[in-house]
Structures are given as C-alpha cells and as structure tokens.
Amino acid sequence: MIQYDNQHQVFKLDTPNTSYVFGLTDRSYPGQIYYGKRIGDTDLMYLLRENERPEPPSVLRREKAGYFDFYPMEYPCAGIGDGRESCINIRTLDGQEGLELNYVSHQIFEGKKTLEGLPATWTDNADSCSTLEITLGDAVTGLRVILSYTAFTDVDAITRSVRVENAGERSLYLTKALSACLHVEQENLEVITLPGSWSRERILQRQKLGYGSLVTESIRGISSHQDHPFMALVSENCTQTTGDVYAMNFVYSGNFIAKASRDQFDQVRMVMGIHPDHFCWKLEPGDSFQAPEVVLVYSDEGLGKMTRSFHSLYRKHLIRGYWKDRQRPVLINNWEATYFNFDTEKLLAIAREAAAGGIEMLVVDDGWFGCRSNDDSSLGDWQVNEKKLPGGFTYLAQEVNKLGMKLGIWVEPEMVSEDSELYRAHPDWALQLAGREPGQCRAQYVLDLSRPEIADYVYEMIRTVLSSANIEYVKWDMNRLLTDVGNLTLPADRQGEIMHRYMLAVYGLQDRLTKDFPQLLLENCSSGGGRFDPGMLYYSPQIWCSDDTDAIERLAIQEGTQLLYPLSSIGAHVSICPNHGTGRTTPFETRGVVALSGTFGYELDITKLSDEEKSQIPGQVARYKKYSALIREGNYYRIASWRENHRYDCFMVVSEDQSEALLTYVQVLAQTNRKSLRLRLAGLDPDAFYEIEGKRYQGAVLMYAGLLIPRMNGDFQTCLLHIVKVG
Ligand code: GLA
C-alpha cells in the first residue's frame, strides 16, 4: 500500500511488515526518513531536522551546499554540494557537470509497469502491489527524473527504478544514473557482500563499516564471479534469526556498483546501480533512459527472514514462463563425462544407461558444432558437426526420445572464436577498439551485440538449430568478460553506451527465444555462475551455479547463492570422483544430497560408474521427485554453516503450511570423542507434532530444545531427514 499525506508532505510505502517513508521539504527536495519495521503514522517530517543547522536553503541561502552535504536525499545529485556518493550526474554540451532535482508531481496506482527492454519484477494481479512514480525536474537543463517505487502486498519487498528524460531543448550526456539510494542512521553497521572467483562464486563476506566506504562492483560487462550485485547493511547483532538487515539486489546482469559509506554525521548511505565507469548515454531532446530495478528488503529478524523475502519475491514476481512452478526434468550433462570428445554413439550409450536409471533428459554440452574439438575454435559456427553427430540433432533427438528422454543442448551465442567461419567472414563483428588487437580470453572474442544486425544474425543461427529437432532445453553459456569495448559503427559520443546496449541486446535475444519457444527450458550459465543474478533469472528459471561440482566446496557456494535465490533456480549436479576440480572423493550419496537442494541432475559418464554407484541413481531420482515441490516452494531456514563452523552444514526447507520439512545435514569433517550434535530446528509449527524417522516430537521441542543428529563415522557424510506433521 502507498499513501501520500498531503498535510505533512510525506510518502509512505507499506509491505506486510515494513514501511518506507520519505518527505518533501518546502524547497521540494525529497528526503528519506525511514525504512524499517512497519509503522502507522505519517507525521515524521521532524526526522528530517529542517530546523537544525545548516538550515534549509529556503531559510538560509548562504548554507545551501552544507545543507546538501547532510540531507538524506532520495536521489542525490552530483555537483551541487553533497560530497557523498551521488546517484545522478550529467554533462552538458558546454562540458559542465552537476544538476539539482526538485519535486514536480507524482502519481500512485495499483500494479506495476514493465521496464522497457529490461528484466524486472512483475505481477499479473494488480492487488499484489502498488506503485508510486514521482517526477523530479532540473530547472536549468529541463531534465526530468521519474523515480518509481513498487511496494508489494504479498512480500516484504520494495523495488525502485529510475527513468531519465531529456525534456529540455539541448542534448546532454547522462554520465551516471544509479537506481537506488538508502540512508540508515544506526551505529555499528556491518556490510555483507558475496564476492568470489571462478569456481568459488558468492562466498558470504561480512565487514565492519567504519568511516569511508565499502564497495562491491563489476566493470567486466557481466555481474561476474568476483563480485555480486548485492549488498546488505546489518546490525552488529545480526544472525540468521536476529538483528536488522537492509538489503539491495540489482535486477541487472552487467556492470554495477554498490557502495556503502559512513559519513561525518554517522549517517550511512548505500547506493546501487549501473557502474558509472564506461557509461555515458547521450540524450537528445525528447530521449529517455531507463535505469534497471533494485530490490530492497528490510528484515528485523536477521538474514533468514531477508532470504525468505527474496526467495518469495523471485518465485512469485520475477521468474516467469512455462517452467516457473513446474518440476524440472532430471538431466544428465555430458560435459564432465566427455568434454569435447564425444559422438552420437557415446551420447546414446550415456542416454541408455541414464534412461534405465530414471534420468529424464540428455544435455549435449560444448563441442557439437563447427569443427570444435577443443576450446580453440568454432564459436559462431552454429551448425552441427555431422562427423561427430551424423544426422544432426534430428537423429539424436529421435533416438533420445525413443528412450523416453528429452534432448537439450549447450550454446554460447554471444561469442566468436578467432578460428571460425564467422570471424573469418566478419572480423569487424567482435568488440574492438580502433587500431588495437582485441584481447582473447579462452581463445574467443565477444560479438558486438550492440549492433542489431549482429544480434539478429546470431539469433537466426540459434533459432535454426532449435527448429531442426525436438530440442527441449538450452544451456546458454557466456564464457568471458567484456574487454576492448568499442563499436565500429556508433559515433564517438555514443561509445559510452556499448556496455549497456550489449546487455539490452542479450536480454532482447533471450526474450525472443523464450517467446518463440515458450516451452523451452532455458538455463543460463557464465563459466559456471558468472552471471547468476536476478536479471538472468527473469529469462531463465534456473542458472548453472558454479563449475565447481565438488560436493563440499558446493556447500559454501550454494549457501551464498541460497542467501538470495530460490533453490529451484540453482543448477546443481552429481559429478564423478575424484572430483575434476579438487581431486576430492566424497560418497555418491553425499553428492546426491548436496545436488538435491538445486535443480537436480548428473554430470558424469554414467557408463563408467561402478555398479554400486549406478544402483543408487534410481533412488536419488525418485527422492528428487518426491521432494521436488517441497524444495521448490518451501521456506528456507539456514541452521548452520560449514563456512563458519568448519565442521558441518545444515539447512531446512519447510512447506508453507508447515505440514512437512526436509532437513539436510552434511558432516564435513568427522571428529573423535564427540557426542551427537544437538541442533535447533526452525520454521515449524510450535504447537504441532512431527514425526522424524518413526519418533514423535513437538514442533516447539524441535525448535527450542533441539534434535539430536545421528552420529556418523567418516568425513563427508550426510543425513537427510523428512519431518512430517502428524497432529
Ligand atoms: C563453461 C560452463 C561449463 C561448460 C563449459 C563448456 O565453463 O560453465 O558448464 O558448459 O563452459 O565449454
């Protein structure tokens, strides 16, 4: 619900348990007043301290700059006095920077608009949210800025986005357009981010915020392995169940910045948006620019409640399409099984064994096209290599379908190999800076998709392959960062638009794909989880989480990913041991249990498995099917983190009606001379009774007194407990 209190000039946005409040001063500066637990009143202008020094410019003109340096502006402008991080800046044709935005008008309506060309949360039920659009204007340039806020009625989340319109008479350059800004006045705040690396994505990091700034950012053209478009301010006492959390997550997959700064007055400002580096957007009179959406979540009950708000928002209002609420097929992917070394016979041998184990889909990974036999060639030549696959996918799909399985394929449409027909024909199609040889990465270049004719050409190639056979799944990969970001056709003053135009083109391609093939199951991927973000989740209901398939390493990677994203979106597979990345050997059962909390599948040569391991597959598949709805729709509770305690990991999913739950426990390192572990569960109905392995417990007992986890011998052991309400 959103209301405007005309008397006090206060906007108040409510979700079921939170309120977000800002007000308008006499000079029409929108100032942030409050974000936190839901409150009732709107008489809050006193919190803007307009009667304290330095007085507002309407009272004391001589202190205008000092005023801006304290004022908690909803959308701070650069260049006019605020010395902290701004959200917007421009450069005029005279080369001057700086602007001042004042309130012009606003409107409040039920529901939510789409953001043109961009992923964003959505609703098809106008009752589930309301939106406030507030228009600000710069008197000198004529620039208009429309701040959009949506407050959901079914989830504790608020989204913000920004549209900038040049309503003036002269062109200008938008050099910075962040999407959200939040002010928190609270002592001893800490900052949580999710940094990482290839094969080590989204490892939770927590740091104290002193004076100065903490930043997480990507200028790699992808949201990246190294940083993640997420930042949370948390109170010192924050745990899974206690403390304040103010979180931001960016619905965007390219360059971003998130920055938290503690200022001289102990006010903390957190901003998030497209990174201003490599960004400059020309706005002719009448043109507009749409900045992507930021999701804001506040929790007064620690990280656990924040997580459940994100999961719920993304499940209900971000993920779309045919597979949104459907059980995903159990797949077997041939990457770690064969790498580039396969042919139809080998794939069918895998498929036959897989079908016998109940696996439902074969995915042909990298290496089926052009003359690709290693990663040096053929990206861009999206024609089936008939030497490897005689009869192409038409034949393979028929044979796979005969086994009762579906067929899926891997593609990497955004790339071109130097050694490819496409590159030989169009060397100018790669991103490049005039006069410089572009840098290779994994022996490949990035196609300049900001040029529509290139995006169209790529799309046609992919569409042709997908139309050639009964292909029901696509893994869309993207295996390098963007460098040499230049375009040979755009004018000089539009070169700063390429990074964002590229992202818009990728979104455009995926939009076309999902519209042309509405039942296709799309899984995004970027060298593992280099582009695992809400932007991609809007197009694909699942994303490959990480190239690290080691069950133990995966615990921390999946923990960081699960902090924000529903389990149903996290690609997780059982692979072979010793693990190809770590050399570690874990029990087949453990690998199965760890992969169960994602979109379950296999990534191994099933024909080479021991009989003992192979015999476990039908049971694992049946188990996935049994728990799939619970895992997909259940509420997530993290009980313990191996990353923190170095011994064991534990989390639960609990059905919405609290009638059942699944507890996953992994004993990473065994210890001698230990009693069984007593863990307190979460999320259950305290008054109900539950049965676990034949024994009855009261919900309150399990949550407040605890459960004893059976003792297990050996490292890397698991225990999966189904908790069922019995009265
Ligand atoms: C990336 C993906 C892998 C695999 C390879 C193929 O690294 O993350 O899963 O598809 O590419 O080249």
Side-chain angles (χ1 to χ4, degrees), residues 335 365-366 410 442 475 477 479 525 527-528 544 547:
W335 178 241
D365 210 279
D366 193 354
W410 175 99
R442 209 191 187 209
K475 176 177 172 189
D477 207 345
N479 277 316
C525 172
S527 300
W544 182 228
D547 278 348

Side-chain angles (χ1 to χ4, degrees), residues 567-617:
L567 276 48
S568 62
S569 68
I570 301 175
H573 298 166
V574 175
S575 66
I576 203 73
C577 276
N579 182 269
H580 290 182
T582 60
R584 182 180 288 122
T585 296
T586 52
F588 199 75
E589 167 66 359
T590 299
R591 284 173 263 159
V593 167
V594 173
L596 186 65
S597 59
T599 60
F600 187 70
Y602 293 85
E603 181 145 349
L604 41 71
D605 188 346
I606 193 170
T607 66
K608 292 188 183 151
L609 283 186
S610 68
D611 288 345
E612 201 272 319
E613 288 184 328
K614 216 183 296 176
S615 70
Q616 296 184 44
I617 291 180

